[in-house]
C-alpha cells in the first residue's frame, strides 16, 4: 500500500509539473506573438517617420478626408501618388491602434506591393488604395490566428484568393486587424493581443468579430477593409462604429485559404466575407473590383457573376417590407426609432412601404442557428481552447458547453419551478441548447434550415417585396457585455441562416432623449436578460445608430442600391 501511495503521489506530482510546463510554453508563445507585433509597429513607425522627413509638406487631413471614389480618381489620374497615400494611412493607423489596440499586425510587404502596382500595365479599380484585412484572411508569410493560441504558429504559405484579387486590382493590403478568440463573439478581445476599444468611446466595444476592422476604419486609419460574417460579424461592428458594411450572399466571394476550418464554421450556415467602409459607394466599388475574372479563375466554386452596375445605379421606386422588432429580442428605443424614421423618409421619397413580420424567430435562433454551431454540444468548439486559456468575454458560453448533457437537463428541471423559465429559454445557448444526437438528426436539421428558407421566401414573394428594412443590434455595448448577451444577435443572425445579402447603414446618433427613454426600457418582461441589455447600451449618447437593409439571395447589387438610397435620405435629413 505504501508503495502504491508513493507511486500515486509521484504520478500526481509529475502531472502537475507537466501541466505547468505546458502552460509555460503557451505563455511563451503568446509573449513572442505580442513581441513580434510590437516590433512590427515600431518598424512601421520608423518607416513613416523617414517618409515624413523626406516629404514634410504633405497635407494629411486633405488626403485622409477624401472619399474612396474621389481618392481612386486622383490616384488614377496621377494628382496623388500611391506612396503618399499609403504612408498617410500607415501614420494614421499607428495613431488609431495606440488608442484602440485594433491592429494585430502591420504587413511590411505593403512596400513591395507599392512597387508592384507601379509595374502593372493596367491600373486596377483599386489602384493605390491601402486596404486592411481581418486577422483570419490569409496573407502569405503572416499568422492567421482567429485569436487562438493554437494558431500562433500557423503562418500562411500563400495569399488567400481575396488578397490575390485585391492585389491584382492594385490595392495595397497594409494591416491585419484584431479579432475575438475563436471569432465566436461580437466583442473584440483575445488572450494574446488583448481588448480592442471603440474609437469614439474607450468604455465601449467596437463590436465583433470584425471589431479590429470597425475600430480602424471608423478611427480613420483605413479607408476600406475586408471582414467576415457568420452571425453579424461585419454588420455589428459597422452598427457599433457608424460604418457601412455588407454581408453578401455567402458564395458570392471566395473564402478559399481563409482560416475558418479551425473555428468549425458549419456549411448549413456559411461564412461570408465582405467589405466595410465609410460609405455605400465604397462597398459597391470593392464588390465590383472583387467580382472579376481573376476571382472566378482562382476559385471555380465562386459563380462567375460580375457586378451588375445597372441594378446598383437604378432609381426605380422600391417595394420595401419593414419591421422594427423581430419579436424575439426587443432592441433599445434608439434602434427602433432609426427604423421608423427611415421608413418615413423612404415613403416620402416615393417608395412603397409594407409591414413585414419574419416568422418564428425563437425557433430560428435556438433550433436552427445555435443548434448548427452546437450540434455536438460544443465539444468541437471547446477543443480549440488550447491549455484551457479562455478570454473572459467567452467564459459564459464555454462554461455552459462544459456542463454534461444530463446536467443541463437537470438544471432546466430544477430552475423551472423557480420562475426562471423565460431567462433559461433565452439562455438556451448556454445551458440547454439542443444537440444532434445522430447522423439522421443532423440530416433532419439541414432539411429544417432549407424548409425555413423556403417558408421565408414564400412570405416575401407573397408580399411582392423588393427589399426589407429592419433593425440591427446597437448602439455600441460596454466592453464585456457581448459575452453575456449572445442571443441578442437575432436581428443579424436571421440573415445568416437564410443566406440573404444584408448590409448596415448609419442613419442617426444616440440622443439625450434616447438615453432618457432607455431608462423606461423593459424589453420582454424586465427580466435579468432585458436589464443586462439596458446596462450594456447605457451611456451611448452621440454614438452611431444604424439600420439593416436586406435583399434576396444573389441580389447583392439590389441590397447595395437600397443601402445607397437609405444613406442618401439620412444625409439629406
Amino acid at each position: 500500500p505504501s508503495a502504491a501511495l508513493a507511486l500515486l503521489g509521484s504520478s500526481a506530482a509529475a502531472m502537475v509539473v507537466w501541466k505547468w510546463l505546458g502552460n509555460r510554453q503557451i505563455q511563451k508563445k503568446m509573449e513572442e506573438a505580442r513581441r513580434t507585433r510590437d516590433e512590427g509597429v515600431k518598424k512601421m513607425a520608423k518607416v513613416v517617420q523617414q517618409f515624413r522627413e523626406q516629404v514634410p509638406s504633405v497635407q494629411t487631413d486633405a488626403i485622409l478626408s477624401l472619399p474612396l471614389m474621389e481618392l481612386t480618381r486622383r490616384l488614377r489620374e496621377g494628382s496623388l501618388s500611391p506612396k503618399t497615400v499609403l504612408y498617410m494611412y500607415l501614420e494614421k493607423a499607428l495613431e488609431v491602434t495606440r488608442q484602440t489596440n485594433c491592429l494585430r499586425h502591420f504587413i511590411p510587404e505593403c512596400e513591395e506591393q507599392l512597387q508592384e502596382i507601379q509595374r502593372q500595365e493596367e491600373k486596377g479599380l483599386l489602384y493605390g488604395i491601402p486596404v486592411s484585412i481581418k486577422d483570419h484572411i490569409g496573407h502569405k508569410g503572416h499568422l492567421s490566428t482567429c485569436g487562438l493560441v493554437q494558431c500562433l504558429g500557423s503562418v500562411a504559405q500563400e495569399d488567400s484568393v481575396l488578397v490575390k484579387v485585391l492585389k491584382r486590382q492594385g490595392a495595397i493590403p497594409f494591416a491585419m486587424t484584431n479579432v475575438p478568440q475563436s471569432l465566436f463573439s461580437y466583442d473584440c478581445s483575445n488572450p494574446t493581443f488583448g481588448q480592442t476599444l471603440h474609437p469614439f468611446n474607450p468604455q465601449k466595444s467596437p463590436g465583433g468579430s470584425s471589431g479590429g476592422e470597425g475600430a480602424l476604419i471608423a478611427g480613420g486609419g483605413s479607408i476600406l477593409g475586408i471582414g467576415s460574417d457568420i452571425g453579424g460579424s461585419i454588420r455589428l461592428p459597422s452598427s457599433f462604429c457608424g460604418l457601412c458594411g455588407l454581408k453578401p450572399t455567402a458564395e458570392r466571394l471566395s473564402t478559399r485559404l481563409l482560416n475558418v476550418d479551425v473555428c468549425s464554421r458549419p456549411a448549413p450556415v456559411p461564412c461570408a466575407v465582405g467589405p466595410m467602409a465609410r460609405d455605400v459607394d465604397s462597398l459597391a466599388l470593392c464588390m465590383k473590383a472583387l467580382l472579376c475574372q481573376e476571382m472566378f479563375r482562382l476559385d471555380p466554386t465562386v459563380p462567375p457573376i460580375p457586378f451588375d452596375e445597372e441594378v446598383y445605379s437604378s432609381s426605380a421606386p422600391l417595394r420595401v417590407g419593414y419591421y422594427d422588432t423581430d419579436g424575439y429580442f426587443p432592441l433599445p428605443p434608439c434602434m427602433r426609432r432609426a427604423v421608423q424614421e427611415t421608413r418615413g423618409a423612404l415613403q416620402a421619397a416615393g417608395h412603397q412601404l409594407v409591414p413585414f413580420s419574419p416568422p418564428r424567430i425563437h425557433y430560428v435562433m435556438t433550433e436552427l442557428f445555435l443548434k448548427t454551431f452546437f450540434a455536438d454540444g460544443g465539444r468541437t468548439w471547446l477543443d480549440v481552447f488550447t491549455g484551457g486559456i479562455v478570454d473572459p468575454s467567452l467564459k459564459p458560453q464555454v462554461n455552459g458547453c462544459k456542463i454534461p448533457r444530463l446536467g443541463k437537463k437537470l438544471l432546466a428541471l430544477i430552475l423551472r419551478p423557480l420562475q426562471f423559465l423565460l431567462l433559461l429559454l433565452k439562455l438556451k445557448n448556454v445551458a440547454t441548447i439542443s444537440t444532434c444526437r445522430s447522423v439522421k438528426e443532423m440530416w433532419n436539421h439541414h432539411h429544417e434550415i432549407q424548409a425555413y428558407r423556403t417558408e421565408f421566401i414564400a412570405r416575401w414573394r407573397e408580399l411582392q417585396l423588393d427589399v426589407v428594412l429592419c433593425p440591427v443590434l446597437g448602439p455600441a455595448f460596454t466592453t464585456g457585455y457581448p459575452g453575456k448577451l449572445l442571443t441578442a444577435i437575432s436581428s443579424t443572425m436571421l440573415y445568416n441562416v437564410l443566406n440573404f445579402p444584408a448590409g448596415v447603414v448609419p442613419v442617426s446618433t444616440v440622443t439625450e432623449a434616447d438615453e432618457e427613454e432607455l431608462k423606461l426600457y423593459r424589453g420582454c418582461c424586465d427580466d435579468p436578460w432585458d436589464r443586462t441589455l439596458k446596462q450594456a447600451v447605457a451611456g451611448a449618447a452621440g454614438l452611431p445608430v444604424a439600420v439593416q437593409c436586406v435583399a434576396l439571395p444573389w441580389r447583392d447589387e439590389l441590397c447595395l442600391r437600397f443601402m445607397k438610397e437609405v444613406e442618401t435620405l439620412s444625409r439629406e435629413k
Side-chain angles (χ1 to χ4, degrees):
S2 59
L5 287 172
L7 181 61
L8 185 62
S10 61
S11 298
M15 185 67 71
V16 170
V17 171
W18 179 81
K19 188 173 182 180
W20 180 85
L21 288 172
N23 287 338
R24 183 65 191 136
Q25 284 296 107
I26 291 169
Q27 291 298 326
K28 281 184 177 180
K29 288 177 71 174
M30 294 167 66
E31 289 166 8
E32 178 62 26
R34 285 191 287 267
R35 185 161 48 250
T36 302
R37 191 266 307 265
D38 294 343
E39 287 173 358
V41 168
K42 289 177 183 176
K43 287 179 183 177
M44 200 54 70
K46 188 176 181 180
V47 169
V48 169
Q49 184 180 359
Q50 289 172 348
F51 175 79
R52 270 295 186 186
E53 290 170 355
Q54 295 169 5
V55 192
S57 60
V58 175
Q59 298 295 314
T60 304
D61 292 341
I63 293 173
L64 297 180
S65 62
L66 290 173
L68 180 60
M69 302 298 286
E70 177 64 16
L71 182 59
T72 54
R73 186 184 68 80
R74 295 197 189 187
L75 284 164
R76 291 173 69 84
E77 71 181 17
S79 61
L80 275 177
S81 75
K83 184 175 182 179
T84 298
V85 172
L86 173 62
Y87 284 105
M88 290 303 92
Y89 271 100
L90 284 169
E91 182 179 56
K92 186 64 177 178
L94 283 164
E95 177 189 326
V96 175
T97 198
R98 289 187 190 110
Q99 297 169 350
T100 65
N101 188 39
C102 60
L103 291 187
R104 203 218 69 211
H105 199 67
F106 276 109
I107 300 173
E109 293 87 348
C110 65
E111 294 184 291
E112 296 174 17
Q113 174 65 2
L114 178 64
Q115 301 303 318
E116 177 63 28
I117 64 170
Q118 293 170 345
R119 292 192 292 267
Q120 290 177 352
E121 293 181 5
E122 292 184 18
K123 293 180 179 178
L125 292 176
L126 297 174
Y127 174 75
I129 298 299
V131 175
S132 51
I133 58 176
K134 188 175 180 177
D135 160 280
H136 74 121
I137 296 173
H139 190 291
K140 184 178 179 180
H142 292 274
L143 294 174
S144 182
T145 73
C146 297
L148 294 165
V149 174
Q150 75 176 51
C151 294
L152 290 179
S154 60
V155 177
Q157 299 304 306
E158 63 175 304
D159 289 337
S160 61
V161 169
L162 273 177
V163 169
K164 287 178 181 177
V165 176
L166 285 169
K167 289 181 176 180
R168 182 64 178 266
Q169 289 285 14
I172 306 175
F174 75 101
M176 303 184 80
T177 50
N178 201 30
V179 294
Q181 189 181 25
S182 83
L183 308 184
F184 196 69
S185 171
Y186 62 100
D187 204 339
C188 192
S189 175
N190 65 73
T192 304
F193 301 107
Q195 173 77 52
T196 297
L197 304 175
H198 197 287
F200 308 141
N201 183 337
Q203 305 302 316
K204 296 289 184 178
S205 168
S209 62
S210 308
E213 284 298 320
L216 182 62
I217 299 168
S222 176
I223 195 168
L224 178 65
I226 304 295
S228 63
D229 191 310
I230 199 167
S233 294
I234 287 174
R235 290 162 290 159
L236 294 172
S238 296
S239 171
F240 284 18
C241 294
L243 301 174
C244 296
L246 174 70
K247 180 204 79 68
T249 308
E251 298 82 2
R252 194 74 194 270
L253 297 177
S254 174
T255 57
R256 189 165 168 260
L257 300 180
L258 268 64
N259 191 0
V260 292
D261 293 337
V262 72
C263 301
S264 305
R265 296 313 188 210
V269 181
C271 177
V273 293
M276 300 168 66
R278 301 174 198 163
D279 55 60
V280 179
D281 278 340
S282 299
L283 305 182
L285 178 63
C286 183
M287 290 296 290
K288 186 176 181 180
L290 291 172
L291 293 171
C292 64
Q293 290 304 314
E294 182 73 359
M295 175 166 285
F296 307 145
R297 181 184 70 81
L298 290 170
D299 189 349
T301 67
V302 174
I305 308 172
F307 189 82
D308 193 331
E309 184 67 40
E310 184 178 349
V311 171
Y312 179 63
S313 302
S314 172
S315 57
L318 296 169
R319 186 171 168 87
V320 183
Y322 72 90
Y323 60 92
D324 62 11
T325 180
D326 61 15
Y328 178 77
F329 204 106
L331 297 180
C334 61
M335 308 313 288
R336 300 182 73 170
R337 170 179 64 81
V339 173
Q340 292 159 4
E341 290 178 353
T342 303
R343 181 201 68 190
L346 287 165
Q347 206 154 19
H351 301 284
Q352 189 174 3
L353 277 293
V354 181
F356 178 73
S357 179
R360 302 189 293 149
I361 299 299
H362 188 281
Y363 164 76
V364 177
M365 192 68 198
T366 56
E367 293 300 319
L368 299 186
F369 181 74
L370 291 169
K371 191 172 181 179
T372 295
F373 282 88
F374 298 104
D376 62 353
R379 287 189 293 274
T380 301
W381 183 55
L382 290 176
D383 287 344
V384 304
F385 297 99
T386 304
I389 297 176
V390 179
D391 193 82
S393 65
L394 283 177
K395 283 187 176 178
Q397 290 94 299
V398 169
N399 291 338
C401 286
K402 286 181 178 178
I403 301 172
R405 182 180 179 83
L406 179 60
K408 293 174 186 177
K409 288 186 173 295
L410 288 173
L411 183 62
L413 189 65
I414 293 168
L415 291 179
R416 193 178 298 273
L418 301 180
Q419 297 183 346
F420 277 95
L421 178 59
L422 181 60
L423 177 62
L424 187 63
L425 285 172
K426 285 183 175 178
L427 282 168
K428 234 180 171 185
N429 57 294
V430 175
T432 60
I433 184 66
S434 301
T435 58
C436 294
R437 289 169 290 183
S438 67
V439 173
K440 183 180 179 180
E441 278 195 28
M442 178 61 82
W443 283 122
N444 287 340
H445 175 64
H446 287 209
H447 171 73
E448 287 165 0
I449 291 176
Q450 292 299 331
Y452 181 78
R453 287 173 181 161
T454 301
E455 176 187 351
F456 195 99
I457 290 172
R459 182 172 293 193
W460 184 297
R461 293 293 196 198
E462 184 180 334
L463 295 172
Q464 299 180 322
L465 303 178
D466 295 312
V467 290
V468 161
L469 170 72
C470 57
V472 60
L473 182 63
F477 279 28
T478 299
T479 54
Y481 274 89
K484 303 173 184 178
L485 292 161
L486 175 60
T487 49
I489 64 171
S490 59
S491 59
T492 51
M493 164 282 310
L494 172 64
Y495 297 105
N496 293 93
V497 171
L498 292 167
N499 194 18
F500 285 17
V504 161
V505 182
V507 296
S508 183
T509 56
V510 180
T511 65
E512 292 296 339
D514 290 327
E515 289 284 280
E516 287 300 312
E517 193 171 353
L518 179 64
K519 294 176 182 177
L520 305 176
Y521 171 86
R522 295 291 179 268
C524 276
C525 55
D526 198 27
D527 63 15
W529 196 263
D530 295 320
R531 291 195 289 272
T532 301
L533 177 68
K534 190 173 176 179
Q535 294 164 7
V537 300
L543 292 182
V545 171
V547 295
Q548 186 172 204
C549 304
V550 185
L552 288 173
W554 307 106
R555 302 303 307 277
D556 305 82
E557 293 88 345
L558 181 58
C559 183
L560 284 165
R561 183 258 152 123
F562 182 39
M563 292 170 67
K564 177 67 177 176
E565 183 75 7
V566 168
E567 178 186 62
T568 301
L569 293 173
S570 69
R571 288 182 176 181
E572 288 174 358
K573 174 176 171 290

